[in-house]
Amino acid sequence: EKVVVSGVAYDKNQVKVTVTGVPDKPGVAAKIFNTISGANVIVDMIIQNIGEGGLTDMSFTVPRTDSKKIMEVMKKVVAEIGAKGVNLKEDIAKVSIIGVGMRSHSGVAARMFSALAKEGINIMMISTSEIKISCVIDAKYTELAVRVLHETFEMDKAA
Amino acid sequence: EKVVVSGVAYDKNQVKVTVTGVPDKPGVAAKIFNTISGANVIVDMIIQNIGEGGLTDMSFTVPRTDSKKIMEVMKKVVAEIGAKGVNLKEDIAKVSIIGVGMRSHSGVAARMFSALAKEGINIMMISTSEIKISCVIDAKYTELAVRVLHETFEMDKAA
Ligand SMILES: C[C@@H](O)[C@H](N)C(=O)O
Ligand SMILES: C[C@@H](O)[C@H](N)C(=O)O
C-alpha cells in the first residue's frame, strides 16, 4: 500500500497528565477513566506502555483549560488506586502527520522522527494509528516542527 | 459531538517488542525506526510514554512472522544506542473499538476498559486516536474480549 502523507497537524491546547506506579491489574484503567468521564473532562490521547513488576505508567492529555480540575480529580484517584503519584506537564504540543497507508511503512515514522531529530527536538511521547503518527514535543518547538515536517513530506509543493 | 461506536476489531497476528532504558534524547527514535525500515519490517503500533531520569521505554508491534528477524535487528540497535535491553511478547492480541467522535468522550474509553475489567482481562497497553481506541491484551482472551465489547456497544443489535 502506497503511503501518502496528506497533512501536518498540531495542537498546543493540550496538557499531559501522567499517573506513575499504577497497579497493573484489571479494573484500574476503568476506574481512572470512569472518574475522568464523571468529571466531564475530555481526553485526547491515552498512552499506556507495558508495565514491569506489576506496575505501569499511564499518560493522557486533556485541554489546557482543565489542568487544575484534572489534577484535583487525579490526586484523589491516585490515593484510591494506590498509584505512586501524578504529574502534569503543560508546556507540550502534539504534532502529527496524517495520511493513508501509514502503518505499513516504518519508513514514514523514521522520516518524521529524523526530521525532528535534525532540529534537536526531543520526542517525549509517540502514538500511532493507520492514519496518523503523533509525537508530543516541547511546546516551544511547535512552529519549527510543523515547518520541517511540511518540508520533509513536501506539503508546500502540493499546496 | 455524538460518539458512535461502529465496530470492534481484533488482530492476533502482532507481537510486541519493547526496548527498555532507551536514552531519551533527539535522534534515538529515528535511529530505531530507520533500522527497522531498512530491515523491511512493517510496524503497526508505536507506543512511547514520557520518560524519567533521561530514559524511557519504547514499544512497537510487528507481524508475528517477523519475530525472529526483528529481535536480531533490535539486539544490534540496543547495543548501538546504549539502551538497557529489548524483549519480545508473542502471546498478545490487539482489540479495538472503532467509531467517530471518540476523542471527546473519556466515557467511551471508560466503558471499553470496564467491559474488559469485568471479565478479569488485564489491559497491557493502550493507544488511542480520534477514530480508534486500542488495547493490547493476552491473546487467550481475544474471543471473550471481542464478544463483551460487541455486547457493551450493542453491535449485535445494530447488525
Ligand atoms: C494499568 C491498567 O491499564 C490495568 N492493566 C488495567 O487493566 O486496568
Ligand atoms: C526516546 C526517543 O523518542 C527520543 N526522545 C528521541 O527523540 O528520539
Side-chain angles (χ1 to χ4, degrees):
Chain A
E1 194 180 355
K2 180 137 181 33
V3 180
V4 178
V5 176
S6 56
V8 177
Y10 71 94
D11 188 343
K12 288 180 84 169
N13 291 323
Q14 304 269 337
V15 297
K16 174 206 71 75
V17 178
T18 299
V19 191
T20 53
V22 178
D24 192 5
K25 57 183 191 193
V28 176
K31 169 105 185 126
I32 290 172
F33 288 92
N34 273 314
T35 308
I36 295 171
S37 167
N40 290 316
V41 175
I42 288 172
V43 169
D44 182 33
M45 297 169 93
I46 301 173
I47 291 183
Q48 177 193 311
N49 204 342
I50 200 146
E52 223 177 318
L55 298 173
T56 190
D57 292 347
M58 167 99 67
S59 291
F60 54 89
T61 61
V62 301
R64 202 170 282 285
T65 44
D66 284 324
S67 305
K68 192 158 175 296
K69 181 181 194 183
I70 195 67
M71 289 306 285
E72 284 168 15
V73 168
M74 291 313 298
K75 286 196 174 95
K76 292 205 194 82
V77 175
V78 162
E80 286 166 24
I81 63 176
K84 179 176 165 193
V86 57
N87 60 66
L88 177 75
K89 192 159 172 60
E90 292 187 273
D91 53 347
I92 61 153
K94 175 176 145 188
V95 290
S96 310
I97 55 173
I98 298 159
V100 289
M102 302 272 263
R103 74 156 265 199
S104 19
H105 291 261
S106 38
V108 180
R111 278 175 74 200
M112 179 185 192
F113 303 156
S114 297
L116 297 175
K118 274 205 188 71
E119 306 302 327
I121 299 171
N122 194 46
I123 300 166
M124 299 175 183
M125 292 160 79
I126 301 170
S127 182
T128 61
S129 74
E130 287 87 345
I131 58 166
K132 202 176 198 180
I133 300 176
S134 295
C135 291
V136 170
I137 61 171
D138 200 317
K140 68 185 181 187
Y141 294 124
T142 310
E143 294 70 17
L144 173 60
V146 170
R147 202 161 51 243
V148 300
L149 290 175
H150 267 270
E151 286 165 11
T152 300
F153 294 103
E154 300 178 55
M155 297 289 121
D156 36 353
K157 290 187 189 163
Chain B
E1 193 180 354
K2 180 138 179 36
V3 180
V4 177
V5 176
S6 57
V8 177
Y10 70 94
D11 188 343
K12 288 180 84 169
N13 290 324
Q14 304 268 339
V15 297
K16 174 205 71 73
V17 178
T18 299
V19 191
T20 52
V22 178
D24 192 3
K25 56 183 191 191
V28 176
K31 169 107 185 126
I32 291 171
F33 288 93
N34 274 315
T35 309
I36 295 171
S37 170
N40 290 316
V41 175
I42 290 172
V43 169
D44 182 35
M45 298 168 94
I46 302 173
I47 291 183
Q48 176 191 313
N49 205 341
I50 199 147
E52 225 178 316
L55 298 172
T56 189
D57 291 349
M58 165 100 67
S59 291
F60 54 90
T61 61
V62 301
R64 202 169 282 284
T65 44
D66 284 323
S67 304
K68 193 159 175 296
K69 181 181 194 182
I70 196 66
M71 288 306 284
E72 284 167 16
V73 169
M74 291 313 297
K75 286 196 173 91
K76 293 205 193 83
V77 176
V78 162
E80 286 166 25
I81 63 176
K84 178 177 165 194
V86 57
N87 60 66
L88 177 75
K89 192 159 171 61
E90 293 188 272
D91 53 347
I92 59 153
K94 174 176 144 186
V95 292
S96 310
I97 55 173
I98 299 159
V100 290
M102 302 273 263
R103 76 155 265 199
S104 19
H105 291 262
S106 41
V108 179
R111 277 175 75 200
M112 179 184 191
F113 303 156
S114 297
L116 298 174
K118 274 204 189 70
E119 307 301 328
I121 299 171
N122 195 46
I123 300 166
M124 298 176 184
M125 292 159 80
I126 300 169
S127 182
T128 60
S129 73
E130 289 87 345
I131 57 167
K132 202 176 199 181
I133 300 176
S134 295
C135 291
V136 170
I137 62 172
D138 200 317
K140 69 186 181 188
Y141 293 124
T142 310
E143 293 72 17
L144 173 60
V146 171
R147 201 161 54 240
V148 300
L149 290 175
H150 265 270
E151 287 165 10
T152 300
F153 294 102
E154 299 177 55
M155 296 289 121
D156 37 352
K157 289 187 191 163

